[in-house]
Amino acid sequence: MSDVIVLIPAYKPEPRLLGFVQGLTAAGAHVVVVNDGSGPAYADVFQAVRRVGNTVVLNHVVNLGKGAALKTGLNHIACEPGGRVGVVTADADGQHTVADVMAVAESLTANPHSLILGARGFEGQLPLRSRLGNALTRRVMRWIMGQKVSDTQTGLRGIPRAMIPRLLVIPHQGYEFELEMLLVCKYEGIRIRETRIQTIYFDGNRSSHFNPLLDSFRIYFVLLRFTFVSLISALLDNAVFAAAFLCWPNLGAAQVAGRVLATLFNFWGNRNTVFRSKEQVARTLPKYLLLVVVSGAMSYGLIRLFSRPGVMDVYAAKILAETVLFFANFVVQRDFVFPGNQPRRWEERADTATSPPLDQRPAGR
């Protein structure tokens, strides 16, 4: 356990935080607690935590958000000398047991290049907001990432040390930071592994500071960028198509004009802001153009099919055809055109990183 530090962001914690920290240190853990601007009323709780051995307490003057607290702790740990494998983050509200934290730490030690998620089974009686929130986010993330993640909102995570610099530049300060962490794994080719943990809630999870309305909106706002570029491209495509068809009522020519301009914008937007591909344009552009040709041919065929006399006009047919192809195009771009870094390439980069070193333990671990 000396190879892993436990990081706990805390905002107005219950007194049970002290017992949790004591249990972790008794199990051999080093602990960093970040007081995220809890205020004078909670000074005694943090003072008691500070007196526990192998424990550091960092402070925010004001409440900055869970993401900000995690980044404060991650930066502190990354600046520490030594060859620790990484960091295990845990919540301060009593949802995680010492045994589960240790299990995630062991999994991280065994898999130092992977992000480890402490995945809850969501069995028994659960608060409705927790069940619905995770179910919806889980399905959206599976579509976005192309990978099944059973617990997207878990706060118990094992983070490789080499991943910390990438996380520190994430701009988000609140709960959406943890969702962005999963997206970083997609972009960087970092494997996600899961360790089953207990599902624990106290008093209907009233001690949680997660606002089911406001914070869920913030989380899903992060996902909107995946559709924003495609929607703008579709609007551009349809606008150019309509203008060209109005000036020269030739379906093929109007289709080509709209597709060319939308293609240029869509490639730039998807490569740089959606999938954040680091591959050279020479490698991604041919695959993208192949998709454009195939998608354009399918779109043309569908428009012809839908715009038959007595079915619908050509403009409605165009919108319907593009809507049908939207989801298919996203999946193809995600997995074929801009697949992100492969896990092996991430592991090779992590092994050769010089600042900070991922692991300085003796060989044969």
Side-chain angles (χ1 to χ4, degrees):
M1 189 64 189
S2 61
D3 292 327
V4 175
I5 294 181
V6 179
L7 170 60
I8 305 174
Y11 176 62
K12 298 183 177 180
E14 299 288 335
R16 67 173 70 96
L17 173 62
L18 175 60
F20 182 45
V21 173
Q22 289 173 332
L24 290 171
T25 57
H30 289 74
V31 181
V32 173
V33 177
V34 180
N35 171 15
D36 188 25
S38 300
Y42 295 84
D44 291 343
V45 175
F46 289 104
Q47 187 61 36
V49 169
R50 186 177 283 106
R51 287 195 291 266
V52 178
N54 293 326
T55 302
V56 173
V57 176
L58 307 176
N59 295 290
H60 287 171
V61 175
V62 296
N63 177 241
L64 298 177
K66 186 178 184 181
L70 286 171
K71 287 189 284 186
T72 293
L74 289 171
N75 184 73
H76 172 82
I77 294 167
C79 291
E80 291 269 307
R84 301 188 188 277
V85 173
V87 180
V88 173
T89 64
D91 291 339
D93 56 8
Q95 291 191 29
H96 305 139
T97 67
V98 172
D100 285 338
V101 174
M102 298 295 288
V104 170
E106 291 174 1
S107 182
L108 179 60
T109 301
N111 304 280
H113 302 297
S114 301
L115 176 69
I116 312 299
L117 299 182
R120 297 163 289 182
F122 296 100
E123 64 278 347
Q125 297 295 321
L126 302 177
L128 181 62
R129 66 175 183 173
S130 298
R131 185 184 294 275
L132 293 180
N134 198 275
L136 179 59
T137 307
R138 182 170 63 246
R139 284 166 175 78
V140 173
M141 287 299 295
R142 185 173 185 178
W143 179 66
I144 294 296
M145 297 178 62
Q147 177 178 352
K148 183 178 180 180
V149 178
S150 62
D151 190 355
T152 59
Q153 297 177 356
T154 180
L156 182 52
R157 305 180 177 204
I159 302 173
R161 180 160 185 163
M163 189 179 177
I164 293 177
R166 179 64 179 83
L167 298 180
L168 291 177
V169 298
I170 293 176
H172 305 292
Q173 301 284 77
Y175 287 95
E176 66 270 28
F177 173 84
E178 292 178 311
L179 182 61
E180 186 73 15
M181 188 187 300
L182 302 181
L183 300 179
V184 167
C185 291
K186 167 65 179 176
Y187 305 143
E188 301 292 342
I190 303 171
R191 285 191 176 96
I192 297 178
R193 302 177 186 269
E194 296 188 345
T195 297
R196 183 53 59 91
I197 64 173
Q198 298 182 58
T199 305
I200 302 173
Y201 290 109
F202 293 98
D203 300 325
N205 203 25
R206 286 185 297 178
S207 62
S208 174
H209 299 285
F210 184 86
N211 185 305
L213 180 61
L214 180 59
D215 290 308
S216 291
F217 176 79
R218 288 171 177 167
I219 286 175
Y220 296 121
F221 184 77
V222 175
L223 301 179
L224 289 180
R225 67 168 174 260
F226 284 92
T227 59
F228 182 74
V229 171
S230 295
L231 290 175
I232 295 297
S233 298
L235 291 174
L236 180 63
D237 190 356
N238 282 281
V240 175
F241 173 87
F245 193 78
L246 182 63
C247 296
W248 183 28
N250 183 291
L251 179 60
Q255 179 78 356
V256 169
R259 185 68 59 173
V260 167
L261 291 181
T263 294
L264 295 175
F265 175 81
N266 193 263
F267 176 77
W268 174 85
N270 284 341
R271 182 178 183 273
N272 295 295
T273 65
V274 176
F275 299 101
R276 299 177 183 176
S277 174
K278 295 181 175 62
E279 296 286 347
Q280 295 181 352
V281 173
R283 298 186 63 179
T284 56
L285 185 57
K287 293 186 291 184
Y288 183 81
L289 292 178
L290 175 62
L291 173 63
V292 169
V293 171
V294 174
S295 178
M298 293 181 65
S299 176
Y300 181 83
L302 289 174
I303 294 173
R304 281 289 190 187
L305 177 65
F306 297 151
S307 62
R308 290 177 299 173
V311 179
M312 64 179 66
D313 64 52
V314 67
Y315 301 113
K318 165 72 172 175
I319 294 174
L320 178 58
E322 297 302 332
T323 301
V324 170
L325 293 173
F326 173 80
F327 296 102
N329 283 337
F330 179 87
V331 173
V332 173
Q333 290 184 61
R334 181 195 69 196
D335 296 336
F336 174 67
V337 180
F338 307 108
N341 292 310
Q342 298 302 310
R344 175 56 56 188
R345 295 178 64 185
W346 156 259
E347 293 170 9
E348 291 171 353
R349 294 200 313 274
D351 282 334
T352 57
T354 57
S355 180
L358 174 67
D359 194 356
Q360 295 176 341
R361 292 180 297 166
R365 57 181 181 273

Short mmCIF file of all heavy atoms in Angstrom, two decimals, residues 246-285:
data_model
loop_
_atom_site.label_atom_id
_atom_site.label_comp_id
_atom_site.label_asym_id
_atom_site.label_seq_id
_atom_site.Cartn_x
_atom_site.Cartn_y
_atom_site.Cartn_z
N LEU A 246 -31.95 25.55 -55.06
CA LEU A 246 -32.83 26.65 -55.44
C LEU A 246 -32.29 27.35 -56.69
O LEU A 246 -33.07 27.73 -57.59
CB LEU A 246 -32.94 27.65 -54.28
CG LEU A 246 -33.86 28.85 -54.49
CD1 LEU A 246 -35.31 28.37 -54.68
CD2 LEU A 246 -33.77 29.81 -53.31
N CYS A 247 -30.96 27.51 -56.76
CA CYS A 247 -30.36 28.19 -57.91
C CYS A 247 -30.29 27.27 -59.14
O CYS A 247 -30.43 27.73 -60.27
CB CYS A 247 -28.96 28.68 -57.56
SG CYS A 247 -28.93 29.93 -56.25
N TRP A 248 -30.06 26.00 -58.88
CA TRP A 248 -29.93 25.03 -59.97
C TRP A 248 -30.54 23.71 -59.50
O TRP A 248 -29.90 22.96 -58.76
CB TRP A 248 -28.46 24.86 -60.33
CG TRP A 248 -28.24 23.92 -61.50
CD1 TRP A 248 -29.08 23.67 -62.52
CD2 TRP A 248 -27.06 23.12 -61.73
NE1 TRP A 248 -28.54 22.77 -63.39
CE2 TRP A 248 -27.29 22.42 -62.94
CE3 TRP A 248 -25.85 22.96 -61.06
CZ2 TRP A 248 -26.36 21.55 -63.47
CZ3 TRP A 248 -24.92 22.09 -61.60
CH2 TRP A 248 -25.16 21.40 -62.79
N PRO A 249 -31.79 23.45 -59.84
CA PRO A 249 -32.50 22.28 -59.31
C PRO A 249 -31.97 20.96 -59.85
O PRO A 249 -32.66 20.22 -60.55
CB PRO A 249 -33.94 22.54 -59.74
CG PRO A 249 -33.84 23.38 -60.95
CD PRO A 249 -32.65 24.26 -60.73
N ASN A 250 -30.71 20.69 -59.48
CA ASN A 250 -30.08 19.42 -59.84
C ASN A 250 -29.68 18.72 -58.54
O ASN A 250 -28.82 19.21 -57.81
CB ASN A 250 -28.85 19.66 -60.72
CG ASN A 250 -28.21 18.35 -61.18
OD1 ASN A 250 -27.64 17.63 -60.37
ND2 ASN A 250 -28.29 18.08 -62.47
N LEU A 251 -30.31 17.59 -58.24
CA LEU A 251 -30.10 16.92 -56.96
C LEU A 251 -28.64 16.55 -56.73
O LEU A 251 -28.09 16.79 -55.64
CB LEU A 251 -30.99 15.67 -56.88
CG LEU A 251 -30.88 14.84 -55.59
CD1 LEU A 251 -31.25 15.68 -54.39
CD2 LEU A 251 -31.76 13.60 -55.70
N GLY A 252 -27.98 15.99 -57.74
CA GLY A 252 -26.60 15.56 -57.58
C GLY A 252 -25.65 16.71 -57.30
O GLY A 252 -24.82 16.65 -56.40
N ALA A 253 -25.79 17.79 -58.05
CA ALA A 253 -24.91 18.94 -57.87
C ALA A 253 -25.12 19.60 -56.51
O ALA A 253 -24.16 20.00 -55.84
CB ALA A 253 -25.16 19.96 -58.98
N ALA A 254 -26.38 19.72 -56.10
CA ALA A 254 -26.67 20.32 -54.79
C ALA A 254 -26.12 19.46 -53.66
O ALA A 254 -25.59 19.97 -52.67
CB ALA A 254 -28.18 20.51 -54.63
N GLN A 255 -26.23 18.13 -53.83
CA GLN A 255 -25.71 17.21 -52.82
C GLN A 255 -24.20 17.35 -52.68
O GLN A 255 -23.65 17.40 -51.59
CB GLN A 255 -26.09 15.77 -53.19
CG GLN A 255 -25.58 14.71 -52.23
CD GLN A 255 -26.41 14.63 -50.97
OE1 GLN A 255 -27.34 15.42 -50.79
NE2 GLN A 255 -26.08 13.71 -50.10
N VAL A 256 -23.49 17.44 -53.80
CA VAL A 256 -22.03 17.56 -53.78
C VAL A 256 -21.60 18.88 -53.15
O VAL A 256 -20.67 18.93 -52.32
CB VAL A 256 -21.46 17.44 -55.20
CG1 VAL A 256 -19.98 17.83 -55.23
CG2 VAL A 256 -21.65 16.03 -55.73
N ALA A 257 -22.26 19.97 -53.51
CA ALA A 257 -21.89 21.29 -52.96
C ALA A 257 -22.03 21.32 -51.44
O ALA A 257 -21.13 21.78 -50.72
CB ALA A 257 -22.76 22.37 -53.60
N GLY A 258 -23.17 20.85 -50.96
CA GLY A 258 -23.38 20.82 -49.51
C GLY A 258 -22.41 19.91 -48.80
O GLY A 258 -21.86 20.25 -47.74
N ARG A 259 -22.14 18.76 -49.42
CA ARG A 259 -21.26 17.78 -48.78
C ARG A 259 -19.82 18.26 -48.71
O ARG A 259 -19.13 18.04 -47.69
CB ARG A 259 -21.35 16.46 -49.55
CG ARG A 259 -20.59 15.31 -48.94
CD ARG A 259 -21.20 14.86 -47.64
NE ARG A 259 -22.58 14.44 -47.80
CZ ARG A 259 -23.30 13.87 -46.83
NH1 ARG A 259 -22.76 13.66 -45.66
NH2 ARG A 259 -24.55 13.55 -47.04
N VAL A 260 -19.32 18.92 -49.72
CA VAL A 260 -17.92 19.37 -49.73
C VAL A 260 -17.65 20.36 -48.61
O VAL A 260 -16.69 20.22 -47.84
CB VAL A 260 -17.56 19.98 -51.10
CG1 VAL A 260 -16.22 20.72 -51.02
CG2 VAL A 260 -17.47 18.89 -52.15
N LEU A 261 -18.49 21.39 -48.51
CA LEU A 261 -18.26 22.40 -47.46
C LEU A 261 -18.46 21.82 -46.07
O LEU A 261 -17.69 22.11 -45.15
CB LEU A 261 -19.21 23.59 -47.69
CG LEU A 261 -18.90 24.43 -48.94
CD1 LEU A 261 -19.89 25.59 -49.05
CD2 LEU A 261 -17.48 24.97 -48.89
N ALA A 262 -19.48 20.99 -45.91
CA ALA A 262 -19.72 20.37 -44.60
C ALA A 262 -18.58 19.43 -44.24
O ALA A 262 -18.21 19.32 -43.06
CB ALA A 262 -21.05 19.62 -44.61
N THR A 263 -18.01 18.76 -45.22
CA THR A 263 -16.91 17.84 -44.99
C THR A 263 -15.69 18.54 -44.44
O THR A 263 -15.06 18.08 -43.47
CB THR A 263 -16.55 17.09 -46.29
OG1 THR A 263 -17.65 16.25 -46.67
CG2 THR A 263 -15.30 16.23 -46.10
N LEU A 264 -15.33 19.67 -45.03
CA LEU A 264 -14.17 20.41 -44.57
C LEU A 264 -14.33 20.85 -43.12
O LEU A 264 -13.41 20.71 -42.30
CB LEU A 264 -13.94 21.63 -45.47
CG LEU A 264 -13.56 21.32 -46.92
CD1 LEU A 264 -13.48 22.61 -47.72
CD2 LEU A 264 -12.26 20.54 -46.99
N PHE A 265 -15.50 21.37 -42.80
CA PHE A 265 -15.75 21.81 -41.43
C PHE A 265 -15.81 20.62 -40.48
O PHE A 265 -15.25 20.65 -39.37
CB PHE A 265 -17.05 22.61 -41.35
CG PHE A 265 -17.44 22.99 -39.96
CD1 PHE A 265 -16.87 24.09 -39.34
CD2 PHE A 265 -18.36 22.23 -39.24
CE1 PHE A 265 -17.20 24.44 -38.04
CE2 PHE A 265 -18.71 22.57 -37.94
CZ PHE A 265 -18.12 23.68 -37.34
N ASN A 266 -16.49 19.56 -40.88
CA ASN A 266 -16.69 18.41 -40.00
C ASN A 266 -15.38 17.71 -39.68
O ASN A 266 -15.15 17.30 -38.54
CB ASN A 266 -17.69 17.45 -40.64
CG ASN A 266 -18.18 16.41 -39.67
OD1 ASN A 266 -17.67 15.29 -39.63
ND2 ASN A 266 -19.19 16.76 -38.88
N PHE A 267 -14.51 17.57 -40.68
CA PHE A 267 -13.22 16.91 -40.43
C PHE A 267 -12.41 17.71 -39.43
O PHE A 267 -11.85 17.14 -38.47
CB PHE A 267 -12.44 16.76 -41.74
CG PHE A 267 -11.07 16.18 -41.54
CD1 PHE A 267 -10.90 14.82 -41.33
CD2 PHE A 267 -9.95 17.00 -41.56
CE1 PHE A 267 -9.63 14.29 -41.13
CE2 PHE A 267 -8.68 16.48 -41.36
CZ PHE A 267 -8.52 15.12 -41.15
N TRP A 268 -12.33 19.01 -39.64
CA TRP A 268 -11.56 19.86 -38.71
C TRP A 268 -12.15 19.80 -37.31
O TRP A 268 -11.42 19.62 -36.32
CB TRP A 268 -11.56 21.30 -39.22
CG TRP A 268 -10.91 22.24 -38.24
CD1 TRP A 268 -9.59 22.52 -38.10
CD2 TRP A 268 -11.57 22.99 -37.21
NE1 TRP A 268 -9.37 23.40 -37.07
CE2 TRP A 268 -10.57 23.71 -36.50
CE3 TRP A 268 -12.91 23.13 -36.83
CZ2 TRP A 268 -10.89 24.54 -35.44
CZ3 TRP A 268 -13.22 23.96 -35.77
CH2 TRP A 268 -12.21 24.67 -35.09
N GLY A 269 -13.46 19.93 -37.21
CA GLY A 269 -14.09 19.95 -35.89
C GLY A 269 -13.97 18.62 -35.17
O GLY A 269 -13.64 18.57 -33.98
N ASN A 270 -14.24 17.52 -35.86
CA ASN A 270 -14.17 16.22 -35.22
C ASN A 270 -12.75 15.84 -34.83
O ASN A 270 -12.52 15.28 -33.75
CB ASN A 270 -14.75 15.15 -36.14
CG ASN A 270 -16.26 15.20 -36.18
OD1 ASN A 270 -16.90 15.76 -35.31
ND2 ASN A 270 -16.84 14.62 -37.22
N ARG A 271 -11.83 16.15 -35.68
CA ARG A 271 -10.44 15.79 -35.38
C ARG A 271 -9.89 16.56 -34.19
O ARG A 271 -9.20 15.99 -33.34
CB ARG A 271 -9.56 16.05 -36.61
CG ARG A 271 -8.09 15.65 -36.42
CD ARG A 271 -7.28 15.88 -37.68
NE ARG A 271 -5.91 15.43 -37.50
CZ ARG A 271 -4.92 16.18 -37.00
NH1 ARG A 271 -5.19 17.43 -36.63
NH2 ARG A 271 -3.71 15.69 -36.86
N ASN A 272 -10.20 17.84 -34.10
CA ASN A 272 -9.56 18.70 -33.10
C ASN A 272 -10.37 18.92 -31.83
O ASN A 272 -9.77 19.14 -30.77
CB ASN A 272 -9.24 20.07 -33.73
CG ASN A 272 -8.21 19.96 -34.84
OD1 ASN A 272 -7.07 19.61 -34.61
ND2 ASN A 272 -8.63 20.25 -36.06
N THR A 273 -11.69 18.88 -31.91
CA THR A 273 -12.48 19.21 -30.73
C THR A 273 -13.33 18.07 -30.22
O THR A 273 -13.70 18.06 -29.05
CB THR A 273 -13.41 20.41 -31.02
OG1 THR A 273 -14.37 20.03 -32.02
CG2 THR A 273 -12.63 21.60 -31.51
N VAL A 274 -13.64 17.10 -31.07
CA VAL A 274 -14.49 16.00 -30.62
C VAL A 274 -13.65 14.80 -30.21
O VAL A 274 -13.63 14.41 -29.05
CB VAL A 274 -15.50 15.60 -31.72
CG1 VAL A 274 -16.32 14.38 -31.28
CG2 VAL A 274 -16.43 16.77 -32.01
N PHE A 275 -12.92 14.23 -31.15
CA PHE A 275 -12.14 13.04 -30.86
C PHE A 275 -10.71 13.36 -30.46
O PHE A 275 -9.97 12.47 -30.03
CB PHE A 275 -12.16 12.10 -32.08
CG PHE A 275 -13.54 11.64 -32.44
CD1 PHE A 275 -14.22 12.21 -33.50
CD2 PHE A 275 -14.17 10.66 -31.70
CE1 PHE A 275 -15.51 11.80 -33.83
CE2 PHE A 275 -15.45 10.23 -32.02
CZ PHE A 275 -16.13 10.81 -33.09
N ARG A 276 -10.30 14.62 -30.64
CA ARG A 276 -8.98 15.08 -30.20
C ARG A 276 -7.87 14.14 -30.67
O ARG A 276 -7.00 13.72 -29.91
CB ARG A 276 -8.95 15.22 -28.68
CG ARG A 276 -9.96 16.23 -28.16
CD ARG A 276 -9.96 16.30 -26.67
NE ARG A 276 -10.98 17.23 -26.18
CZ ARG A 276 -11.24 17.42 -24.90
NH1 ARG A 276 -10.57 16.76 -23.97
NH2 ARG A 276 -12.18 18.27 -24.53
N SER A 277 -7.92 13.82 -31.94
CA SER A 277 -6.97 12.87 -32.51
C SER A 277 -5.58 13.48 -32.60
O SER A 277 -5.41 14.63 -33.00
CB SER A 277 -7.44 12.44 -33.90
OG SER A 277 -6.47 11.62 -34.53
N LYS A 278 -4.59 12.68 -32.21
CA LYS A 278 -3.19 13.09 -32.35
C LYS A 278 -2.53 12.46 -33.57
O LYS A 278 -1.34 12.64 -33.81
CB LYS A 278 -2.42 12.73 -31.08
CG LYS A 278 -2.88 13.49 -29.84
CD LYS A 278 -2.07 13.10 -28.63
CE LYS A 278 -2.45 13.97 -27.42
NZ LYS A 278 -3.84 13.79 -27.02
N GLU A 279 -3.31 11.67 -34.32
CA GLU A 279 -2.79 11.07 -35.54
C GLU A 279 -2.56 12.14 -36.60
O GLU A 279 -3.22 13.16 -36.64
CB GLU A 279 -3.78 10.02 -36.07
CG GLU A 279 -4.00 8.84 -35.14
CD GLU A 279 -2.83 7.88 -35.13
OE1 GLU A 279 -1.96 8.01 -36.03
OE2 GLU A 279 -2.77 7.02 -34.24
N GLN A 280 -1.62 11.88 -37.47
CA GLN A 280 -1.33 12.82 -38.56
C GLN A 280 -2.52 12.87 -39.52
O GLN A 280 -3.23 11.88 -39.73
CB GLN A 280 -0.08 12.38 -39.30
CG GLN A 280 1.19 12.43 -38.47
CD GLN A 280 2.41 12.00 -39.25
OE1 GLN A 280 2.30 11.53 -40.39
NE2 GLN A 280 3.59 12.17 -38.66
N VAL A 281 -2.69 14.05 -40.10
CA VAL A 281 -3.78 14.23 -41.07
C VAL A 281 -3.65 13.24 -42.21
O VAL A 281 -4.66 12.73 -42.73
CB VAL A 281 -3.79 15.68 -41.61
CG1 VAL A 281 -4.81 15.84 -42.73
CG2 VAL A 281 -4.09 16.67 -40.47
N ALA A 282 -2.43 12.93 -42.59
CA ALA A 282 -2.21 12.00 -43.70
C ALA A 282 -2.78 10.62 -43.42
O ALA A 282 -3.07 9.85 -44.34
CB ALA A 282 -0.71 11.89 -44.00
N ARG A 283 -2.95 10.27 -42.13
CA ARG A 283 -3.49 8.97 -41.78
C ARG A 283 -5.00 9.00 -41.58
O ARG A 283 -5.70 8.04 -41.89
CB ARG A 283 -2.81 8.44 -40.51
CG ARG A 283 -1.31 8.25 -40.65
CD ARG A 283 -0.72 7.60 -39.42
NE ARG A 283 -1.26 6.25 -39.21
CZ ARG A 283 -0.89 5.45 -38.21
NH1 ARG A 283 0.03 5.86 -37.34
NH2 ARG A 283 -1.42 4.25 -38.08
N THR A 284 -5.49 10.11 -41.05
CA THR A 284 -6.92 10.17 -40.75
C THR A 284 -7.76 10.66 -41.93
O THR A 284 -8.90 10.22 -42.10
CB THR A 284 -7.17 11.09 -39.54
OG1 THR A 284 -6.61 12.39 -39.80
CG2 THR A 284 -6.54 10.51 -38.29
N LEU A 285 -7.19 11.56 -42.74
CA LEU A 285 -7.97 12.14 -43.83
C LEU A 285 -8.43 11.11 -44.86
O LEU A 285 -9.60 11.13 -45.27
CB LEU A 285 -7.19 13.27 -44.50
CG LEU A 285 -7.94 14.04 -45.59
CD1 LEU A 285 -9.23 14.64 -45.04
CD2 LEU A 285 -7.05 15.13 -46.19
#
